[in-house]
Amino acid sequence: MSESKDFLRLKVEEDLKAGKYQNIVTRFPPEPNGFPHIGHAKSICINFGIARDYQGQCNLRMDDTNPTTEDTKYVEALKDAVTWLGFNWNGNVRYASDYFPKIYDYAVQLIQMGKAYVDSLNEEEIREYRGSVTEAGRRSVYANRSIEENLALFKGMKEGKFKDGEHVLRAKIDMSAANMKMRDPLLYRIRHSHHFRTGDTWCIYPMYDFAHCLSDYIEGVTHSICTLEFENNRDIYDWVLDALELTPPRPYQHEFARLGINYTVMSKRKLLELVNGNYVNGWDDPRLPTIAGYKRRGYTPESIINFCEQIGIAKANSMVDVAQLEFCIRDDLNQKVPRVMCVLDPLKVTIENYEGEEEIDASYYPHDVPKVGSRKLPFSREIYIERDDFMENPIEGYHRFTPTQPVRLKHAYILTCKEVIKDANGAIVELKATYHPDSKSGADTSGIKTKSAIHWVSAKHAKQIEVRLYERLYKIDAPENVEDLNPDSLHVNTHAFIEPAVISEKVDVRFQFERQGYFYADPMDYTDEHPVFNKIVGLKDSWAKKSEAPKNTPKAEAKKAHIEGDVAPMSTEELARFERYTALNLNTEIANTLARDEALSHFFDETLLHVKSPTTLANLVANEVARELKKELPLNFGATEVAELVMMLDEGVISSKIAKEVFEAIVHTGEKPKAIIESKGLKQISDPAIIAVMIEEVMAKNPDNLAKYQAGNTNLFGFFVGQVLKQSGGKANPTIVNELVSKKLNHG
């Protein structure tokens, strides 16, 4: 029994070992009275995950016992959430209403056993009779009714002879119980309301505590997993099943801590208030924590599942930082999406010494992303740059474009500013510049030193788009009501410009806009005539910096529109390291990370003496090694081990994913990378013949998606690549997989 397993899985294993159950059956039992949120995602992952891990089954069951709040649209939203997250429920969707006749029979049985009675107290009297934590309750005088009278009244309730609230059915347990939920809890109430499934067949409906445990029993559920707020309800759960003397095996309830995230509300009541009050644009508003909201914003199922796995399963409630969820989507998209250029706040630049047009070949992916693909970037005399990438009177440490400081255009040339043109109000409306013909990226012989590279688009060729920029919905970390809403949670930018290939070639639906963040083509509003992109998440978490930034200081005013991730100016030593690293063709973000950390920089430089592969090494050091150095503990590895790992990565012996696994093993054991790879059989699969067989198997298992791809849904390309990599256990060479999947899909 592994100590790394959570307490729920340990309980399942204990029950299996003891022979308590032959097969594991779990269930996800939401009430269809709202759209599912990220807390439901955690429950979905737990219930479906346990069923998967122990070769069991998980049922999807709607707890539709309250006709006044439930609706088919919520059922569909719940089904969609489970499917989108990648899980399959056992058989058909189940409903508590499927079991209404059987549950009614169980209620009659309790009456016949003298364990339930019809009470005629009103709601206020029932509350008064229940007592308090320090005072025992009083049993209703109606509890003395005979079994025959109770049966007749309950039948009359079922036949619609009484008004709402005139009678209720209660369990006869203990009015002095320490657990107040056990003080003769309600089992049935009268509701003359139309039910979305059963129509007007019923006018009495079972309470959650009565219907839930019996539905579990009827379905053969073994482990009824719910959140901690139902901990006190467990006594009722057990009482009902025991009182009815049901044939074993029977289910047992187990509780885990519900998910709480700062800057977020997950109360259905509060979410409904936001939707009905038009504080947001429907249940799928990208600012909401609903699955539909995350889906429309551009989050991936993998990022949500990874988040749920990272936070784990605990027995005590706690608050999770929303930054952890944002990290998961960044981490997922970083290895998947194309990098493109989009200017959100355009400033026109006229390059006076450039004539004509040209196309620049630019890769969609950096060196450390195992994907291939490129596009043609049109370049012309007039371009747009980001307005805050130019500063006429630069502050200390500003490394972009100024009247005296040249700058590199990403993938293109170096520019020098010649003139600043302003309007009548003194606002900058255009820059005049010259370019250096011998400074083209990849073939630069100009000798000009620049401190940064900026993104740009050709004014003639760029496509105008709408960009929806989202911030957190609430302005405080523990919101209570609508007064805590952030008034600046949505900015709609209709004057952004993007490079044309994004619209014309449609290589993906998610992109990293260079130096801006990750964006998603809105699935509802996007058209080629009016492209709309939602901001998924920024490149770095700048929320804390924004909220703590000093107000109205000259420096703060100058940096109002700063790019996310801007930090304090580099020292002379750091700047020297930064220039040395960018000269090695490291991307600016990695170079910046290494340059600013002396220990990290030293490790990188030392390892570089053993392996001449700066890009691969830099990515490994800036991510994996940096994490270990922050722990300030003795290291089980040094430059030689990391160099050996880098060489095997470059030679294609292992993939990036395997490299991370090997590095983790090095950290814990201190073994040499080659020994770890040999002992664990982790060599990368690069044989095209073996990979081709995997591709055939994946396509044979997914005929529906294959048909959809062939019908024009090319977004499924990533699905097939992911399935092949999954089938190989992450060992298949991603570049070869991409190439062979493309050939198979497009040429048969």
Side-chain angles (χ1 to χ4, degrees):
M1 202 178 288
S2 171
E3 291 183 3
S4 64
K5 290 189 174 77
D6 60 77
F7 73 93
L8 291 174
R9 283 173 169 80
L10 291 176
K11 179 60 182 171
V12 169
E13 291 185 2
E14 177 187 315
D15 289 344
L16 285 171
K17 187 176 181 181
K20 193 171 184 177
Y21 307 108
Q22 296 304 308
N23 298 298
I24 298 302
V25 181
T26 60
R27 81 292 168 270
F28 174 54
E31 182 181 1
N33 62 350
F35 273 52
H37 51 62
I38 188 73
H40 291 102
K42 179 179 178 181
S43 181
I44 290 169
C45 290
I46 291 172
N47 281 289
F48 283 91
I50 287 176
R52 174 202 60 210
D53 292 350
Y54 297 96
Q55 295 76 54
Q57 66 186 51
C58 183
N59 300 336
L60 173 58
R61 181 178 74 238
M62 302 297 160
D63 173 32
D64 56 339
T65 57
N66 185 357
T68 61
T69 60
E70 296 156 2
D71 195 282
T72 304
K73 67 181 179 182
Y74 300 135
V75 172
E76 294 305 315
L78 286 156
K79 288 162 60 179
D80 182 73
V82 174
T83 303
W84 182 70
L85 286 169
F87 297 105
N88 298 305
W89 54 84
N90 176 57
N92 296 322
V93 176
R94 292 164 166 82
Y95 297 84
S97 56
D98 292 339
Y99 314 129
F100 279 177
K102 185 66 175 173
I103 294 171
Y104 176 81
D105 289 343
Y106 281 130
V108 170
Q109 189 176 334
L110 284 176
I111 295 172
Q112 291 170 335
M113 299 169 78
K115 296 179 179 179
Y117 62 95
V118 174
D119 192 5
S120 304
L121 294 178
N122 62 39
E123 187 176 341
E124 186 177 330
E125 289 171 328
I126 289 174
R127 189 181 304 113
E128 179 189 340
Y129 275 45
R130 184 170 284 126
S132 66
V133 176
T134 57
E135 181 185 356
R138 290 178 291 149
R139 180 160 282 155
S140 168
V141 294
Y142 300 108
N144 297 321
R145 283 172 168 153
S146 68
I147 290 174
E148 290 72 24
E149 187 180 359
N150 282 319
L151 288 172
L153 283 169
F154 191 49
K155 183 182 178 185
M157 289 168 60
K158 178 178 181 290
E159 292 172 349
K161 294 179 179 179
F162 306 109
K163 294 181 290 188
D164 286 11
E166 194 169 347
H167 301 294
V168 294
L169 182 70
R170 300 180 71 173
K172 186 181 284 188
I173 307 179
D174 181 2
M175 289 303 293
S176 62
N179 179 356
M180 291 183 64
K181 290 186 179 294
M182 294 294 284
R183 296 181 183 180
D184 291 10
L186 275 61
L187 304 181
Y188 264 90
R189 79 287 210 202
I190 302 171
R191 286 279 189 277
H192 287 279
S193 297
H194 185 83
H195 189 283
F196 74 95
R197 290 192 75 244
T198 61
D200 298 317
T201 302
W202 294 87
C203 59
I204 58 169
Y205 293 91
M207 303 298 290
Y208 167 85
D209 283 320
F210 191 52
H212 186 68
C213 57
L214 291 172
S215 298
D216 283 347
Y217 177 76
I218 292 167
E219 292 180 6
V221 168
T222 58
H223 296 78
S224 181
I225 300 165
C226 57
T227 48
L228 273 177
E229 67 262 37
F230 294 102
E231 185 175 20
N232 288 336
N233 301 62
R234 190 196 325 142
D235 288 342
I236 307 176
Y237 190 101
D238 290 337
W239 182 89
V240 170
L241 297 180
D242 292 340
L244 286 165
E245 301 173 1
L246 298 173
T247 305
R250 52 149 286 191
Y252 287 87
Q253 178 176 304
H254 307 277
E255 305 87 19
F256 68 94
R258 70 182 303 171
L259 175 60
I261 303 179
N262 59 4
Y263 296 100
T264 308
V265 298
M266 285 188 284
S267 155
K268 281 187 182 178
R269 178 184 59 79
K270 291 180 180 179
L271 291 174
L272 192 63
E273 180 184 13
L274 293 176
V275 173
N276 290 344
N278 295 317
Y279 295 102
V280 293
N281 301 314
W283 283 102
D284 67 344
D285 189 301
R287 293 166 292 179
L288 286 180
T290 56
I291 304 300
Y294 287 120
K295 182 179 177 182
R296 184 166 182 181
R297 185 158 178 169
Y299 273 69
T300 60
E302 294 84 357
S303 65
I304 300 290
I305 291 171
N306 188 32
F307 170 70
C308 292
E309 289 176 349
Q310 281 189 16
I311 59 178
I313 303 172
K315 292 185 178 182
N317 288 325
S318 61
M319 188 64 67
V320 177
D321 194 331
V322 68
Q324 190 169 349
L325 175 59
E326 293 167 350
F327 167 81
C328 288
I329 184 62
R330 285 191 200 95
D331 189 55
D332 186 41
L333 296 181
N334 181 50
Q335 293 294 310
K336 290 182 177 178
V337 303
R339 274 62 165 172
V340 298
M341 295 194 288
C342 176
V343 175
L344 300 183
D345 188 9
L347 174 62
K348 183 180 176 182
V349 179
T350 300
I351 307 171
E352 295 183 316
N353 63 333
Y354 186 89
E355 298 295 335
E357 298 176 3
E358 66 179 287
E359 288 187 327
I360 298 171
D361 190 53
S363 172
Y364 277 122
Y365 307 98
H367 297 300
D368 58 323
V369 173
K371 297 187 74 172
V372 293
S374 63
R375 79 284 195 192
K376 300 293 185 182
L377 280 174
F379 186 79
S380 59
R381 178 182 175 87
E382 294 181 347
I383 64 171
Y384 292 128
I385 67 169
E386 206 69 58
R387 185 168 295 276
D388 68 355
D389 276 345
F390 179 82
M391 193 172 285
E392 186 176 18
N393 301 299
I395 60 175
E396 182 184 354
Y398 186 82
H399 296 313
R400 285 165 271 160
F401 206 19
T402 75
T404 59
Q405 184 169 270
V407 74
R408 174 170 293 285
L409 299 176
K410 178 89 173 181
H411 300 300
Y413 301 96
I414 293 174
L415 291 188
T416 297
C417 182
K418 291 300 180 185
E419 184 182 354
V420 179
I421 299 174
K422 302 179 181 180
D423 62 15
N425 297 317
I428 299 173
V429 295
E430 186 181 353
L431 302 176
K432 301 287 188 180
T434 58
Y435 89 113
H436 300 272
D438 55 353
S439 66
K440 191 172 184 178
S441 290
D444 185 359
T445 59
S446 68
I448 300 171
K449 297 291 185 183
T450 58
K451 295 181 179 179
S452 67
I454 62 174
H455 58 280
W456 55 277
V457 292
S458 167
K460 177 180 177 181
H461 304 91
K463 305 292 185 181
Q464 190 166 351
I465 63 172
E466 178 179 315
V467 178
R468 296 169 183 172
L469 303 169
Y470 298 101
E471 291 285 7
R472 292 174 186 167
L473 184 58
Y474 288 93
K475 60 190 176 185
I476 63 173
D477 64 352
E480 290 292 334
N481 47 49
V482 294
E483 284 73 29
D484 298 326
L485 286 167
N486 172 16
D488 298 316
S489 62
L490 170 62
H491 292 279
V492 179
N493 179 343
T494 58
H495 58 269
F497 289 94
I498 201 164
E499 58 175 271
V502 174
I503 309 301
S504 60
E505 296 180 11
K506 292 188 175 65
V507 293
D508 208 328
V509 290
R510 294 180 181 83
F511 299 88
Q512 183 191 111
F513 291 179
E514 297 266 10
R515 299 170 61 239
Q516 304 283 13
Y518 293 98
F519 290 78
Y520 179 55
D522 186 278
M524 304 294 290
D525 297 337
Y526 182 101
T527 65
D528 286 348
E529 295 72 32
H530 183 70
V532 178
F533 288 87
N534 297 326
K535 183 177 180 180
I536 307 170
V537 68
L539 295 178
K540 290 187 178 180
D541 180 14
S542 61
W543 180 263
K545 293 176 187 174
K546 287 180 181 177
S547 60
E548 294 168 7
K551 304 292 192 295
N552 302 320
T553 64
K555 190 167 182 177
E557 288 296 315
K559 298 186 75 176
K560 268 183 180 176
H562 77 287
I563 290 177
E564 292 187 341
D566 272 4
V567 290
M570 290 185 182
S571 66
T572 304
E573 294 80 7
E574 290 170 344
L575 186 57
R577 288 199 290 262
F578 179 81
E579 291 179 345
R580 178 158 56 85
Y581 294 151
T582 52
L584 292 172
N585 291 321
L586 303 186
N587 72 51
T588 53
E589 187 173 344
I590 294 290
N592 179 70
T593 300
L594 296 177
R596 289 179 179 275
D597 189 315
E598 188 173 357
L600 213 55
S601 174
H602 177 76
F603 191 98
F604 173 77
D605 291 344
E606 183 182 356
T607 311
L608 199 58
L609 297 174
H610 300 275
V611 57
K612 302 302 179 186
S613 182
T615 301
T616 306
L617 173 61
N619 284 297
L620 192 62
V621 171
N623 292 289
E624 312 306 323
V625 175
R627 186 175 64 247
E628 296 307 314
L629 286 178
K630 285 177 184 176
K631 295 177 181 177
E632 298 182 353
L633 296 171
L635 300 178
N636 273 340
F637 62 90
T640 54
E641 287 77 19
V642 173
E644 187 179 307
L645 193 59
V646 168
M647 280 189 280
M648 286 188 286
L649 253 174
D650 284 346
E651 291 167 1
V653 175
I654 56 175
S655 65
S656 298
K657 182 177 180 180
I658 293 173
K660 290 183 179 181
E661 185 178 341
V662 174
F663 184 79
E664 288 297 322
I666 296 171
V667 168
H668 291 104
T669 67
E671 284 187 78
K672 297 291 184 182
K674 284 183 181 177
I676 294 169
I677 291 166
E678 290 294 335
S679 66
K680 294 192 174 187
L682 294 176
K683 282 190 177 179
Q684 180 168 251
I685 302 170
S686 296
D687 186 334
I690 296 174
I691 294 174
V693 171
M694 294 181 187
I695 293 171
E696 291 285 354
E697 291 174 354
V698 166
M699 292 189 178
K701 291 177 184 175
N702 297 277
D704 291 346
N705 281 342
L706 182 58
K708 289 176 184 176
Y709 182 92
Q710 291 168 341
N713 187 355
T714 55
N715 288 334
L716 286 168
F717 178 82
F719 165 80
F720 286 107
V721 170
Q723 289 298 305
V724 175
L725 292 173
K726 184 178 179 180
Q727 182 156 321
S728 72
K731 295 179 185 178
N733 186 313
T735 303
I736 297 176
V737 171
N738 271 273
E739 180 183 337
L740 294 182
V741 168
S742 178
K743 285 182 180 178
K744 183 66 180 176
L745 287 173
N746 298 311
H747 306 293

